[in-house]
Amino acid sequence: TGDSTVQSQYGVNVGVASYELDLFGRVRSLKRSALESYLATEEARRSAHITLVAEVANAYLTLMADRESLRISRETLAAQQESVDLVQGRFDLGLGSELDLRQAQAALETARASQARFQRRVDADRNALAVLVGAPLPPLPGEDLDDPAVATLPDVPAGLPSSVLRLRPDIAGAEHALRAANANIGAARAAFFPRISLTGSAGSASAELSGLFESGSKAWSFSPSLSLPIFSGGRNRANLDVAEVRRDQNVARYEQAIQTAFQEVADALAARDSLSREEQAQSALVSATERSLTLAEARYREGADDYLAVLDARRNLLDARQQRVAVTLDKLTNRITLYRALGGGEQARDATLIGEVAAPRRDTPRG
């Protein structure tokens, strides 16, 4: 008409995000893959937790072993001081030689150096344990490995079924990774099929602001879209091949995790039996060397033998006691190793839970 006009349009809309109709299971497979990947990460966290618990336990046992070695060195030092006093008295009376006196003094200084060395190791063990704990150490139960609070460390009960290994975090994590890989194959296959996406919005529209929310002012829009993988067949084929290769890799990792678990448990069980026998033999050796030292000291007092026999007997006794500490430490750390090999937790230590542990948690995935 040649006349200028001004028109106004008011609208309030709420958009609906794009939504894919999962006709062929692509989104469902991606969701399952993401969930299994998360569960695999959770198993990795549990593995780190079990490792930390085992490291703290091993550090504690090492501290207890060095404490016992320190106690042995103190007892040896005290006994050696008594021997020096005895030899000095015999030397003053003209009943002993200067060689015996110097040998006794040398053994005394050796014992004093040994005590200082083990004191240093105990201090270092406490610092290492504090670093692992991440806080100042509270009062620790037990004084050394002979303390009942330490020596009665719970052992893994006999009769555990092999299915307990499924609770190991590395096996469970490998299982989740395998499930995620299988789900990725499903998503890669679904990419060959068309995808339908829906977008839309709903709200109110009016030429006047006052009538924006009155009846009859509703407005909506709906827009479907279809994606056909016509020119992406090569890419989809490559993605499917990659997904299948990754599935095969996860199958190999899963099988390797199972083989490693059986090997670690078998090694720990074999070591447990031999260490128990070795500890018994070492205890018998300590008793025999104690008797030998008693006889050597008696013969020296009676003048039937020189002081060299006493030195040899005391050295053999010290070696036997220190070796028994080492064997006892190996036996207790073997229990920690077996605890880790069985996946940690109460399932690896409580015989009352054998039936619960033996029950399968899930179906074994197939490659």
Side-chain angles (χ1 to χ4, degrees), residues 165-210:
L165 297 181
R166 297 183 62 188
L167 299 177
R168 280 175 55 118
D170 57 341
I171 293 181
E175 180 178 335
H176 288 304
L178 179 55
R179 291 177 179 271
N182 284 329
N184 279 330
I185 292 179
R189 286 174 177 168
F192 286 94
F193 299 95
R195 289 182 304 190
I196 300 177
S197 300
L198 304 178
T199 58
S201 64
S204 178
S206 174
E208 297 180 356
L209 181 60
S210 59

Side-chain angles (χ1 to χ4, degrees), residues 206-264:
S206 174
E208 297 180 356
L209 181 60
S210 59
L212 182 59
F213 298 102
E214 293 181 356
S215 60
S217 61
K218 295 180 179 179
W220 60 273
S221 65
F222 176 77
S223 175
S225 61
L226 176 66
S227 298
L228 299 176
I230 299 177
F231 301 105
S232 59
R235 182 183 64 186
N236 290 337
R237 171 57 61 182
N239 290 337
L240 178 58
D241 292 341
V242 169
E244 291 177 345
V245 169
R246 290 176 177 171
R247 187 272 314 276
D248 295 339
Q249 291 176 341
N250 281 279
V251 169
R253 293 191 185 100
Y254 185 67
E255 293 175 348
Q256 182 182 10
I258 294 177
Q259 293 172 0
T260 301
F262 274 97
Q263 178 183 357
E264 291 179 353

